[in-house]
Amino acid sequence: MKSLKQRLEELRKKHFRTSIYSRLLPYTKPFRLSMALVVVLSIVQSGIALLDPWPMKILVDNGLGGQVLPGWLKSFIPFLEPQNPTGVIVFAVLLGVALWLTGTLLSLVGEQLKAHINSRIVLRFKADLFNHMQRLSFSYHDQTSVGDSMYRLNSDTGFISTLVWGNFRHIFTALFMLVGVLWISLQLDWQLTLIALAAAPPLYLGVWYYGKRFKERSKRVKAMESEGQSVLQEVLSCLRVVKAFGQEEREQQRFEKKARTALRARLRLTLEQSIFNSGMQFVTQVDRSLILLIGGLHVLEGQLTLGGLLVILSYVGQIHKPLEKIGETLTDMQLSLASAERTLEVLDVQPDIQDKAGARSLPSVKGAVTFDNVSFGYSPEHLVLRQVSFKAQPGEVVAIVGPTGAGKTTITSLIARFYDPTTGRVLLDGHDLRDLAIRTLRDNIAIVSQESVLFTGTIRDNIAYGVSRRGPSAYMDSDDVLEGFDVSQEEIEAAARLANAHDFIMALPAGYDTQVGERGVRLSGGERQRVAIARAFIRNAPILILDEPTSSLDSRTELMILDALDRLMAGRTTFIVAHRLSTVRRADQIMVINKGRIRERGTHSQLLAKEGLYAEFYRIQTRGLRHGQTAGRPPAVVALHTNSTNGHGGREIDDELSTSNNRAMDGLERTEVELPA
C-alpha cells in the first residue's frame, strides 16, 4: 500500500515534470519583469473581484432594508445616511460601475501584456526548434515526414507559454482568490463555507482519474493530425505529378481518409473533455443548490441577512470558480506536457553529423579528396558502398557512372559530409572530414544537382544564396554590396554571364528582380539550372559536385549548360555523377560503380579499350541513339519531333538518348556476368 507521501510525489511528478520545466524556463528570462507585472495586475483584479458582491449587499441591506451603514463607510462618505436611501442606492450602483470599469481596464492591460509575452516566448522556442531541425542529420529527416515536422513546429510549440508560466499564473491567482473568498465567507457563515468546500474532493478525484487519459489521447490525436498534414504537404509539393497522372481524386480520398480519422479522434477527445467538464460543473451546481437551501433557512431563522445571503451565494460561485480553474489547469498541464514531449523528442535527437571537440578550420583548401576503404549503409543491415578507395587530385575532374542504386550519389553525399562512413575515411587535403569543422567543409563545396531547387524570391536572391560566410566572391571588387548578402550586383551579373544566364535574365520584364515562384516554378528547367550554376560560380569553392546536371535538358540547352560547366569546372576538383557520356568524356578519371563497388576506373578511351562495363554501356547508349535516328523511334518521340516548332528540334534525340541511357545503366547489373573481365 502506497503511503500518502508516495502518492503526493507521484502526483507532483505527473503534473510538474522537473526535467521538462528546467529546460523550458530559460525561455521566460527576458520577460520576467513583464511577467511579474502581469501577476500583480492579476492579484489586483482578484482583489476587485472580491469586492464585487458588496455593492449589492449595500443596496439591499442599507438602501432598501434601512440598516445602518458600517462605521468606516460612514466616516469615509459622510452624506450616506439611512435616512437618505436614494443616496445609498445611487452610491451602491456607482460603486459597482466603478469596480467593473477598473477591473475591465486592468484586464485589457493584462491581456495585452500576456499576448506579448506568450507570442515572444513561443517565437523564441519555435525558432530554436527550427534551427535544431535544420541541423539534424539526413538520417533523421530520411525517417521523418515533412508534415510531421511541420506539425510539431507550428502546432505543438504553442504549448510552451501555457506550460512554463500560464498554468502557474492561473493556479497562483486561483489560490489567492480562494483564500480571500474563504476568509470573507467564514466571517459571514462558516457552515455554508464548509458546504461549498465539500465540492473540492470529487473535483480533484476527477482530475486525477482523467488527467493521464487525456494526455495519452491527446498525443495520439496530434500524431493523427500530423499524418493528415503530411498528405497535404506531399501533394502540394508534387502537384504537377498528381495532375499529370490525373490522381486528384485519389489524393482527395487519401487526405479525407486521414482527416476523417483524425477528426473522429479529436471529436471523441473533445466529447470526453466536455463530459468531464460538465461533470465537474454538475458537482458544483449541486453544491450551490444545497447552499441556497440552507442559506434560505438561515435567513428565515435570522442568522443571515438577505444581503448577506446574496454575498454568500456570490462568493460560493467564486469559491467554486477557483476550484474549477485549478482542476482545469491541472488537466491542461497534462495536455501541454503531451505537446512538450513531442517537441522535446526532436530537441533530444542529436545530429549524427556535428563538430567534434577540437574540430579544425582550414585557412585554405586545395581540393584533394581521398576515399580510404570506405563502406557505408543507410541502415546497418544494408551497405550501399563497399570498400571504396580512390583519390582525386586538386583540379581533377572525376566522373562517377553506374546503374541506378549503385551508390553514385552516396559518394557525393559522403564528400559533402551529409553522412559519415560506416567504416573507412574520407579525407580532404589529408584531413579526415570528421576532424574538420563542418562550416570549413561546406564553405569549400558547391553543388549543382539534377533538380535545381530555387527558393521563393528573386533571381538575384537565388544567385546570391551561394555566397558563403567567407565573404564576397572573387570575381568582382565593388563597394556596391547587395543588402542581406555580402555580394554586389556586379558580382551577381558576372556570375550569371559565366553561367550563360545573363541574357535570358535581362530578357525578362523585371530582370534580376523577377520572382521565380516556389521552387523556381516560373522558370524553365534550363533556366533554373543556369541560375543554379551561377549560384555555384558566386560561391567560388575549390570543390564542385555535379549530380546529373544535364539529364533532364534538351540538346540545345545542354550545350549551353555544358559550356557554362566547362568554365565552372576550371581549376576545381570536380565530381560528376552522370548517365550521359557527353558530360564525362573529358574527365581525368571515370569510375564505374556497380553494387557499391568500383568495377572499373580510367579515362574514356582507356575504358573503351578494356571492353568492360563502361564499353558495354557506351555501345548500348550509342546504339540507342542510332536506333532513334531510324524508323524504330517510339510513337511519343515521333510526335514530339513532328510537332516541334519552338526551335528545339534536337530535343527528341536527346530524350531518346536519355531513355536508352537509363535503360543501359540499369541493365549493367544484368549484363555484368556476360562481359569480359
Side-chain angles (χ1 to χ4, degrees), residues 131-163:
N131 180 58
H132 185 74
M133 283 183 172
Q134 286 191 94
R135 299 181 185 281
L136 286 176
S137 306
F138 281 109
S139 57
Y140 170 83
H141 292 291
D142 291 343
Q143 302 173 41
T144 306
S145 70
V146 175
D148 181 69
S149 296
M150 291 181 65
Y151 188 90
R152 293 178 194 243
L153 191 62
N154 292 325
S155 300
D156 285 330
T157 51
F159 79 92
I160 182 171
S161 61
T162 301
L163 187 67

PDB file of all heavy atoms in Angstrom, residues 131-163:
ATOM      1  N   ASN A 131      15.797  25.820 -35.869  1.00  0.00           N
ATOM      2  CA  ASN A 131      17.251  25.784 -36.039  1.00  0.00           C
ATOM      3  C   ASN A 131      17.785  24.380 -35.788  1.00  0.00           C
ATOM      4  O   ASN A 131      18.653  23.888 -36.524  1.00  0.00           O
ATOM      5  CB  ASN A 131      17.901  26.775 -35.075  1.00  0.00           C
ATOM      6  CG  ASN A 131      19.415  26.796 -35.186  1.00  0.00           C
ATOM      7  OD1 ASN A 131      19.965  27.046 -36.253  1.00  0.00           O
ATOM      8  ND2 ASN A 131      20.093  26.536 -34.091  1.00  0.00           N
ATOM      9  N   HIS A 132      17.246  23.717 -34.761  1.00  0.00           N
ATOM     10  CA  HIS A 132      17.694  22.349 -34.456  1.00  0.00           C
ATOM     11  C   HIS A 132      17.307  21.396 -35.577  1.00  0.00           C
ATOM     12  O   HIS A 132      18.111  20.529 -35.971  1.00  0.00           O
ATOM     13  CB  HIS A 132      17.085  21.897 -33.136  1.00  0.00           C
ATOM     14  CG  HIS A 132      17.559  20.557 -32.672  1.00  0.00           C
ATOM     15  ND1 HIS A 132      18.819  20.346 -32.152  1.00  0.00           N
ATOM     16  CD2 HIS A 132      16.949  19.343 -32.669  1.00  0.00           C
ATOM     17  CE1 HIS A 132      18.969  19.071 -31.845  1.00  0.00           C
ATOM     18  NE2 HIS A 132      17.840  18.439 -32.146  1.00  0.00           N
ATOM     19  N   MET A 133      16.087  21.551 -36.107  1.00  0.00           N
ATOM     20  CA  MET A 133      15.653  20.685 -37.205  1.00  0.00           C
ATOM     21  C   MET A 133      16.553  20.852 -38.427  1.00  0.00           C
ATOM     22  O   MET A 133      16.873  19.872 -39.112  1.00  0.00           O
ATOM     23  CB  MET A 133      14.207  21.005 -37.583  1.00  0.00           C
ATOM     24  CG  MET A 133      13.170  20.441 -36.642  1.00  0.00           C
ATOM     25  SD  MET A 133      11.488  20.805 -37.210  1.00  0.00           S
ATOM     26  CE  MET A 133      10.520  19.822 -36.068  1.00  0.00           C
ATOM     27  N   GLN A 134      16.965  22.077 -38.711  1.00  0.00           N
ATOM     28  CA  GLN A 134      17.850  22.304 -39.847  1.00  0.00           C
ATOM     29  C   GLN A 134      19.182  21.587 -39.668  1.00  0.00           C
ATOM     30  O   GLN A 134      19.778  21.122 -40.637  1.00  0.00           O
ATOM     31  CB  GLN A 134      18.126  23.802 -40.011  1.00  0.00           C
ATOM     32  CG  GLN A 134      16.985  24.609 -40.576  1.00  0.00           C
ATOM     33  CD  GLN A 134      17.441  26.003 -40.933  1.00  0.00           C
ATOM     34  OE1 GLN A 134      17.808  26.278 -42.079  1.00  0.00           O
ATOM     35  NE2 GLN A 134      17.452  26.884 -39.955  1.00  0.00           N
ATOM     36  N   ARG A 135      19.650  21.518 -38.443  1.00  0.00           N
ATOM     37  CA  ARG A 135      20.976  20.959 -38.189  1.00  0.00           C
ATOM     38  C   ARG A 135      20.963  19.453 -37.957  1.00  0.00           C
ATOM     39  O   ARG A 135      22.029  18.843 -37.862  1.00  0.00           O
ATOM     40  CB  ARG A 135      21.607  21.670 -36.978  1.00  0.00           C
ATOM     41  CG  ARG A 135      21.781  23.165 -37.239  1.00  0.00           C
ATOM     42  CD  ARG A 135      22.417  23.899 -36.091  1.00  0.00           C
ATOM     43  NE  ARG A 135      22.430  25.322 -36.363  1.00  0.00           N
ATOM     44  CZ  ARG A 135      23.295  25.941 -37.162  1.00  0.00           C
ATOM     45  NH1 ARG A 135      24.233  25.230 -37.779  1.00  0.00           N
ATOM     46  NH2 ARG A 135      23.241  27.239 -37.369  1.00  0.00           N
ATOM     47  N   LEU A 136      19.759  18.879 -37.853  1.00  0.00           N
ATOM     48  CA  LEU A 136      19.702  17.427 -37.711  1.00  0.00           C
ATOM     49  C   LEU A 136      20.196  16.760 -38.989  1.00  0.00           C
ATOM     50  O   LEU A 136      20.012  17.277 -40.092  1.00  0.00           O
ATOM     51  CB  LEU A 136      18.278  16.982 -37.407  1.00  0.00           C
ATOM     52  CG  LEU A 136      17.777  17.251 -35.988  1.00  0.00           C
ATOM     53  CD1 LEU A 136      16.324  16.840 -35.850  1.00  0.00           C
ATOM     54  CD2 LEU A 136      18.630  16.519 -34.959  1.00  0.00           C
ATOM     55  N   SER A 137      20.792  15.619 -38.841  1.00  0.00           N
ATOM     56  CA  SER A 137      21.377  14.912 -39.976  1.00  0.00           C
ATOM     57  C   SER A 137      20.293  14.361 -40.895  1.00  0.00           C
ATOM     58  O   SER A 137      19.133  14.207 -40.503  1.00  0.00           O
ATOM     59  CB  SER A 137      22.271  13.771 -39.472  1.00  0.00           C
ATOM     60  OG  SER A 137      23.232  14.251 -38.561  1.00  0.00           O
ATOM     61  N   PHE A 138      20.698  14.050 -42.125  1.00  0.00           N
ATOM     62  CA  PHE A 138      19.757  13.485 -43.078  1.00  0.00           C
ATOM     63  C   PHE A 138      19.224  12.142 -42.600  1.00  0.00           C
ATOM     64  O   PHE A 138      18.129  11.737 -42.995  1.00  0.00           O
ATOM     65  CB  PHE A 138      20.419  13.326 -44.445  1.00  0.00           C
ATOM     66  CG  PHE A 138      20.492  14.607 -45.223  1.00  0.00           C
ATOM     67  CD1 PHE A 138      21.698  15.255 -45.416  1.00  0.00           C
ATOM     68  CD2 PHE A 138      19.347  15.176 -45.751  1.00  0.00           C
ATOM     69  CE1 PHE A 138      21.766  16.433 -46.127  1.00  0.00           C
ATOM     70  CE2 PHE A 138      19.401  16.351 -46.462  1.00  0.00           C
ATOM     71  CZ  PHE A 138      20.612  16.989 -46.651  1.00  0.00           C
ATOM     72  N   SER A 139      19.970  11.445 -41.762  1.00  0.00           N
ATOM     73  CA  SER A 139      19.491  10.164 -41.257  1.00  0.00           C
ATOM     74  C   SER A 139      18.197  10.336 -40.468  1.00  0.00           C
ATOM     75  O   SER A 139      17.344   9.443 -40.446  1.00  0.00           O
ATOM     76  CB  SER A 139      20.552   9.506 -40.372  1.00  0.00           C
ATOM     77  OG  SER A 139      20.916  10.359 -39.305  1.00  0.00           O
ATOM     78  N   TYR A 140      18.019  11.500 -39.807  1.00  0.00           N
ATOM     79  CA  TYR A 140      16.759  11.787 -39.097  1.00  0.00           C
ATOM     80  C   TYR A 140      15.665  12.145 -40.091  1.00  0.00           C
ATOM     81  O   TYR A 140      14.557  11.607 -40.034  1.00  0.00           O
ATOM     82  CB  TYR A 140      16.964  12.926 -38.096  1.00  0.00           C
ATOM     83  CG  TYR A 140      15.663  13.445 -37.513  1.00  0.00           C
ATOM     84  CD1 TYR A 140      15.053  12.805 -36.442  1.00  0.00           C
ATOM     85  CD2 TYR A 140      15.032  14.569 -38.060  1.00  0.00           C
ATOM     86  CE1 TYR A 140      13.854  13.261 -35.918  1.00  0.00           C
ATOM     87  CE2 TYR A 140      13.836  15.032 -37.541  1.00  0.00           C
ATOM     88  CZ  TYR A 140      13.254  14.389 -36.473  1.00  0.00           C
ATOM     89  OH  TYR A 140      12.068  14.843 -35.975  1.00  0.00           O
ATOM     90  N   HIS A 141      15.969  13.076 -41.009  1.00  0.00           N
ATOM     91  CA  HIS A 141      14.948  13.543 -41.947  1.00  0.00           C
ATOM     92  C   HIS A 141      14.533  12.444 -42.923  1.00  0.00           C
ATOM     93  O   HIS A 141      13.406  12.478 -43.435  1.00  0.00           O
ATOM     94  CB  HIS A 141      15.464  14.758 -42.706  1.00  0.00           C
ATOM     95  CG  HIS A 141      15.632  15.969 -41.830  1.00  0.00           C
ATOM     96  ND1 HIS A 141      14.562  16.635 -41.287  1.00  0.00           N
ATOM     97  CD2 HIS A 141      16.740  16.606 -41.394  1.00  0.00           C
ATOM     98  CE1 HIS A 141      14.994  17.649 -40.562  1.00  0.00           C
ATOM     99  NE2 HIS A 141      16.308  17.652 -40.604  1.00  0.00           N
ATOM    100  N   ASP A 142      15.433  11.476 -43.183  1.00  0.00           N
ATOM    101  CA  ASP A 142      15.067  10.359 -44.052  1.00  0.00           C
ATOM    102  C   ASP A 142      13.949   9.515 -43.447  1.00  0.00           C
ATOM    103  O   ASP A 142      13.201   8.853 -44.166  1.00  0.00           O
ATOM    104  CB  ASP A 142      16.289   9.469 -44.316  1.00  0.00           C
ATOM    105  CG  ASP A 142      17.335  10.168 -45.187  1.00  0.00           C
ATOM    106  OD1 ASP A 142      16.985  11.172 -45.831  1.00  0.00           O
ATOM    107  OD2 ASP A 142      18.490   9.714 -45.200  1.00  0.00           O
ATOM    108  N   GLN A 143      13.831   9.545 -42.119  1.00  0.00           N
ATOM    109  CA  GLN A 143      12.854   8.694 -41.438  1.00  0.00           C
ATOM    110  C   GLN A 143      11.646   9.472 -40.923  1.00  0.00           C
ATOM    111  O   GLN A 143      10.715   8.874 -40.380  1.00  0.00           O
ATOM    112  CB  GLN A 143      13.524   7.993 -40.251  1.00  0.00           C
ATOM    113  CG  GLN A 143      14.729   7.148 -40.639  1.00  0.00           C
ATOM    114  CD  GLN A 143      15.464   6.612 -39.424  1.00  0.00           C
ATOM    115  OE1 GLN A 143      14.854   6.187 -38.461  1.00  0.00           O
ATOM    116  NE2 GLN A 143      16.778   6.642 -39.454  1.00  0.00           N
ATOM    117  N   THR A 144      11.657  10.797 -41.074  1.00  0.00           N
ATOM    118  CA  THR A 144      10.583  11.636 -40.534  1.00  0.00           C
ATOM    119  C   THR A 144       9.928  12.405 -41.664  1.00  0.00           C
ATOM    120  O   THR A 144      10.614  13.038 -42.470  1.00  0.00           O
ATOM    121  CB  THR A 144      11.140  12.620 -39.495  1.00  0.00           C
ATOM    122  OG1 THR A 144      11.872  11.901 -38.496  1.00  0.00           O
ATOM    123  CG2 THR A 144      10.015  13.393 -38.829  1.00  0.00           C
ATOM    124  N   SER A 145       8.607  12.364 -41.720  1.00  0.00           N
ATOM    125  CA  SER A 145       7.908  13.084 -42.780  1.00  0.00           C
ATOM    126  C   SER A 145       7.986  14.585 -42.539  1.00  0.00           C
ATOM    127  O   SER A 145       8.042  15.050 -41.396  1.00  0.00           O
ATOM    128  CB  SER A 145       6.442  12.646 -42.852  1.00  0.00           C
ATOM    129  OG  SER A 145       5.726  13.110 -41.723  1.00  0.00           O
ATOM    130  N   VAL A 146       7.973  15.348 -43.629  1.00  0.00           N
ATOM    131  CA  VAL A 146       7.994  16.801 -43.529  1.00  0.00           C
ATOM    132  C   VAL A 146       6.733  17.297 -42.824  1.00  0.00           C
ATOM    133  O   VAL A 146       6.771  18.233 -42.021  1.00  0.00           O
ATOM    134  CB  VAL A 146       8.118  17.435 -44.930  1.00  0.00           C
ATOM    135  CG1 VAL A 146       8.019  18.956 -44.847  1.00  0.00           C
ATOM    136  CG2 VAL A 146       9.436  17.032 -45.577  1.00  0.00           C
ATOM    137  N   GLY A 147       5.596  16.644 -43.104  1.00  0.00           N
ATOM    138  CA  GLY A 147       4.345  17.049 -42.480  1.00  0.00           C
ATOM    139  C   GLY A 147       4.391  16.917 -40.963  1.00  0.00           C
ATOM    140  O   GLY A 147       3.911  17.796 -40.238  1.00  0.00           O
ATOM    141  N   ASP A 148       4.977  15.833 -40.461  1.00  0.00           N
ATOM    142  CA  ASP A 148       5.077  15.650 -39.022  1.00  0.00           C
ATOM    143  C   ASP A 148       5.976  16.716 -38.404  1.00  0.00           C
ATOM    144  O   ASP A 148       5.659  17.278 -37.352  1.00  0.00           O
ATOM    145  CB  ASP A 148       5.619  14.259 -38.697  1.00  0.00           C
ATOM    146  CG  ASP A 148       5.721  14.008 -37.200  1.00  0.00           C
ATOM    147  OD1 ASP A 148       4.662  13.894 -36.552  1.00  0.00           O
ATOM    148  OD2 ASP A 148       6.848  13.959 -36.684  1.00  0.00           O
ATOM    149  N   SER A 149       7.097  17.011 -39.068  1.00  0.00           N
ATOM    150  CA  SER A 149       7.999  18.057 -38.563  1.00  0.00           C
ATOM    151  C   SER A 149       7.304  19.409 -38.542  1.00  0.00           C
ATOM    152  O   SER A 149       7.444  20.183 -37.585  1.00  0.00           O
ATOM    153  CB  SER A 149       9.263  18.124 -39.428  1.00  0.00           C
ATOM    154  OG  SER A 149      10.012  16.930 -39.340  1.00  0.00           O
ATOM    155  N   MET A 150       6.539  19.711 -39.591  1.00  0.00           N
ATOM    156  CA  MET A 150       5.833  20.988 -39.646  1.00  0.00           C
ATOM    157  C   MET A 150       4.758  21.065 -38.570  1.00  0.00           C
ATOM    158  O   MET A 150       4.539  22.129 -37.971  1.00  0.00           O
ATOM    159  CB  MET A 150       5.228  21.188 -41.040  1.00  0.00           C
ATOM    160  CG  MET A 150       6.257  21.418 -42.127  1.00  0.00           C
ATOM    161  SD  MET A 150       5.499  21.680 -43.748  1.00  0.00           S
ATOM    162  CE  MET A 150       4.622  23.218 -43.462  1.00  0.00           C
ATOM    163  N   TYR A 151       4.072  19.953 -38.302  1.00  0.00           N
ATOM    164  CA  TYR A 151       3.034  19.963 -37.266  1.00  0.00           C
ATOM    165  C   TYR A 151       3.659  20.228 -35.900  1.00  0.00           C
ATOM    166  O   TYR A 151       3.128  21.020 -35.103  1.00  0.00           O
ATOM    167  CB  TYR A 151       2.287  18.639 -37.258  1.00  0.00           C
ATOM    168  CG  TYR A 151       1.078  18.637 -36.342  1.00  0.00           C
ATOM    169  CD1 TYR A 151      -0.167  19.023 -36.824  1.00  0.00           C
ATOM    170  CD2 TYR A 151       1.184  18.273 -35.014  1.00  0.00           C
ATOM    171  CE1 TYR A 151      -1.286  19.036 -35.993  1.00  0.00           C
ATOM    172  CE2 TYR A 151       0.086  18.284 -34.172  1.00  0.00           C
ATOM    173  CZ  TYR A 151      -1.136  18.667 -34.667  1.00  0.00           C
ATOM    174  OH  TYR A 151      -2.228  18.688 -33.836  1.00  0.00           O
ATOM    175  N   ARG A 152       4.763  19.575 -35.623  1.00  0.00           N
ATOM    176  CA  ARG A 152       5.432  19.818 -34.341  1.00  0.00           C
ATOM    177  C   ARG A 152       5.896  21.266 -34.245  1.00  0.00           C
ATOM    178  O   ARG A 152       5.823  21.888 -33.181  1.00  0.00           O
ATOM    179  CB  ARG A 152       6.632  18.878 -34.184  1.00  0.00           C
ATOM    180  CG  ARG A 152       6.249  17.410 -34.043  1.00  0.00           C
ATOM    181  CD  ARG A 152       7.474  16.527 -33.947  1.00  0.00           C
ATOM    182  NE  ARG A 152       7.145  15.126 -34.147  1.00  0.00           N
ATOM    183  CZ  ARG A 152       7.304  14.164 -33.237  1.00  0.00           C
ATOM    184  NH1 ARG A 152       7.761  14.480 -32.047  1.00  0.00           N
ATOM    185  NH2 ARG A 152       6.992  12.925 -33.513  1.00  0.00           N
ATOM    186  N   LEU A 153       6.375  21.803 -35.366  1.00  0.00           N
ATOM    187  CA  LEU A 153       6.905  23.159 -35.361  1.00  0.00           C
ATOM    188  C   LEU A 153       5.794  24.193 -35.243  1.00  0.00           C
ATOM    189  O   LEU A 153       5.926  25.185 -34.515  1.00  0.00           O
ATOM    190  CB  LEU A 153       7.712  23.389 -36.646  1.00  0.00           C
ATOM    191  CG  LEU A 153       8.558  24.656 -36.735  1.00  0.00           C
ATOM    192  CD1 LEU A 153       9.627  24.679 -35.658  1.00  0.00           C
ATOM    193  CD2 LEU A 153       9.218  24.742 -38.108  1.00  0.00           C
ATOM    194  N   ASN A 154       4.693  23.991 -35.953  1.00  0.00           N
ATOM    195  CA  ASN A 154       3.634  25.001 -35.992  1.00  0.00           C
ATOM    196  C   ASN A 154       2.589  24.836 -34.899  1.00  0.00           C
ATOM    197  O   ASN A 154       2.091  25.833 -34.365  1.00  0.00           O
ATOM    198  CB  ASN A 154       2.933  24.977 -37.360  1.00  0.00           C
ATOM    199  CG  ASN A 154       3.837  25.450 -38.474  1.00  0.00           C
ATOM    200  OD1 ASN A 154       4.662  26.336 -38.276  1.00  0.00           O
ATOM    201  ND2 ASN A 154       3.701  24.866 -39.646  1.00  0.00           N
ATOM    202  N   SER A 155       2.242  23.605 -34.569  1.00  0.00           N
ATOM    203  CA  SER A 155       1.140  23.375 -33.630  1.00  0.00           C
ATOM    204  C   SER A 155       1.613  23.036 -32.221  1.00  0.00           C
ATOM    205  O   SER A 155       1.100  23.580 -31.244  1.00  0.00           O
ATOM    206  CB  SER A 155       0.238  22.250 -34.158  1.00  0.00           C
ATOM    207  OG  SER A 155      -0.306  22.598 -35.419  1.00  0.00           O
ATOM    208  N   ASP A 156       2.573  22.139 -32.114  1.00  0.00           N
ATOM    209  CA  ASP A 156       2.979  21.683 -30.785  1.00  0.00           C
ATOM    210  C   ASP A 156       3.753  22.741 -30.002  1.00  0.00           C
ATOM    211  O   ASP A 156       3.798  22.687 -28.775  1.00  0.00           O
ATOM    212  CB  ASP A 156       3.829  20.409 -30.896  1.00  0.00           C
ATOM    213  CG  ASP A 156       2.987  19.187 -31.208  1.00  0.00           C
ATOM    214  OD1 ASP A 156       1.817  19.163 -30.791  1.00  0.00           O
ATOM    215  OD2 ASP A 156       3.485  18.265 -31.866  1.00  0.00           O
ATOM    216  N   THR A 157       4.387  23.688 -30.680  1.00  0.00           N
ATOM    217  CA  THR A 157       5.198  24.681 -29.969  1.00  0.00           C
ATOM    218  C   THR A 157       4.346  25.678 -29.194  1.00  0.00           C
ATOM    219  O   THR A 157       4.859  26.360 -28.305  1.00  0.00           O
ATOM    220  CB  THR A 157       6.090  25.449 -30.947  1.00  0.00           C
ATOM    221  OG1 THR A 157       5.283  25.938 -32.034  1.00  0.00           O
ATOM    222  CG2 THR A 157       7.189  24.565 -31.504  1.00  0.00           C
ATOM    223  N   GLY A 158       3.053  25.773 -29.512  1.00  0.00           N
ATOM    224  CA  GLY A 158       2.213  26.748 -28.831  1.00  0.00           C
ATOM    225  C   GLY A 158       1.999  26.459 -27.361  1.00  0.00           C
ATOM    226  O   GLY A 158       1.513  27.319 -26.620  1.00  0.00           O
ATOM    227  N   PHE A 159       2.395  25.274 -26.907  1.00  0.00           N
ATOM    228  CA  PHE A 159       2.158  24.886 -25.524  1.00  0.00           C
ATOM    229  C   PHE A 159       3.044  25.637 -24.547  1.00  0.00           C
ATOM    230  O   PHE A 159       2.706  25.784 -23.374  1.00  0.00           O
ATOM    231  CB  PHE A 159       2.447  23.386 -25.347  1.00  0.00           C
ATOM    232  CG  PHE A 159       3.918  23.106 -25.234  1.00  0.00           C
ATOM    233  CD1 PHE A 159       4.552  23.057 -24.002  1.00  0.00           C
ATOM    234  CD2 PHE A 159       4.688  22.935 -26.377  1.00  0.00           C
ATOM    235  CE1 PHE A 159       5.912  22.824 -23.906  1.00  0.00           C
ATOM    236  CE2 PHE A 159       6.040  22.708 -26.291  1.00  0.00           C
ATOM    237  CZ  PHE A 159       6.657  22.648 -25.049  1.00  0.00           C
ATOM    238  N   ILE A 160       4.221  26.100 -24.992  1.00  0.00           N
ATOM    239  CA  ILE A 160       5.277  26.473 -24.046  1.00  0.00           C
ATOM    240  C   ILE A 160       4.868  27.612 -23.134  1.00  0.00           C
ATOM    241  O   ILE A 160       5.126  27.576 -21.927  1.00  0.00           O
ATOM    242  CB  ILE A 160       6.590  26.795 -24.791  1.00  0.00           C
ATOM    243  CG1 ILE A 160       7.690  27.144 -23.777  1.00  0.00           C
ATOM    244  CG2 ILE A 160       6.413  27.889 -25.814  1.00  0.00           C
ATOM    245  CD1 ILE A 160       9.054  27.265 -24.386  1.00  0.00           C
ATOM    246  N   SER A 161       4.213  28.640 -23.688  1.00  0.00           N
ATOM    247  CA  SER A 161       3.840  29.777 -22.834  1.00  0.00           C
ATOM    248  C   SER A 161       2.834  29.352 -21.773  1.00  0.00           C
ATOM    249  O   SER A 161       2.866  29.835 -20.637  1.00  0.00           O
ATOM    250  CB  SER A 161       3.275  30.916 -23.686  1.00  0.00           C
ATOM    251  OG  SER A 161       2.107  30.498 -24.371  1.00  0.00           O
ATOM    252  N   THR A 162       1.943  28.448 -22.136  1.00  0.00           N
ATOM    253  CA  THR A 162       0.966  27.953 -21.165  1.00  0.00           C
ATOM    254  C   THR A 162       1.642  27.107 -20.096  1.00  0.00           C
ATOM    255  O   THR A 162       1.342  27.233 -18.902  1.00  0.00           O
ATOM    256  CB  THR A 162      -0.111  27.117 -21.879  1.00  0.00           C
ATOM    257  OG1 THR A 162      -0.755  27.929 -22.864  1.00  0.00           O
ATOM    258  CG2 THR A 162      -1.146  26.600 -20.898  1.00  0.00           C
ATOM    259  N   LEU A 163       2.575  26.263 -20.522  1.00  0.00           N
ATOM    260  CA  LEU A 163       3.193  25.318 -19.599  1.00  0.00           C
ATOM    261  C   LEU A 163       4.126  26.005 -18.609  1.00  0.00           C
ATOM    262  O   LEU A 163       4.102  25.719 -17.411  1.00  0.00           O
ATOM    263  CB  LEU A 163       3.951  24.244 -20.383  1.00  0.00           C
ATOM    264  CG  LEU A 163       4.500  23.088 -19.555  1.00  0.00           C
ATOM    265  CD1 LEU A 163       3.366  22.260 -18.984  1.00  0.00           C
ATOM    266  CD2 LEU A 163       5.415  22.211 -20.397  1.00  0.00           C
TER     267      LEU A 163
END
